Amino acid sequence: MRPGGRVLVVEVVIGSAGESRFAGLLDLEMLVITQRGRERTEEEFRKLYEAAGFRVLRVVATEAPVSIVEGIAV
């Protein structure tokens, strides 16, 4: 992706305002199905984006149990 390109991830962000027990249930489901899946904190998303050449611009809480993690390619 060219610098300045954006990526949006819609995911449960642990510790966000919209978090509920739903995040814990998703963790269990992901562990059972994928053996390695898990939910992430905002800080973990920032590290993941950075490792992929992106910078997190913002994390937007929604009324649903998910948030939108917006990143930009650097």
Side-chain angles (χ1 to χ4, degrees):
M1 184 179 288
R2 294 181 184 158
R6 294 183 188 225
V7 64
L8 300 174
V9 173
V10 178
E11 186 65 75
V12 173
V13 178
I14 296 175
S16 67
E19 180 194 357
S20 67
R21 293 184 181 172
F22 183 69
L25 292 174
L26 282 179
D27 263 353
L28 288 174
E29 181 180 339
M30 291 171 64
L31 283 169
V32 169
I33 294 171
T34 68
Q35 308 297 314
R36 302 178 91 189
R38 63 185 178 85
E39 301 303 329
R40 292 179 170 86
T41 64
E42 183 175 334
E43 182 59 31
E44 289 172 319
F45 271 109
R46 290 184 183 284
K47 289 177 183 177
L48 185 65
Y49 273 49
E50 185 178 303
F54 290 85
R55 180 173 49 87
V56 171
L57 293 177
R58 61 187 174 152
V59 177
V60 181
T62 68
E63 290 185 27
V66 295
S67 294
I68 301 167
V69 184
E70 181 181 5
I72 189 168
V74 291

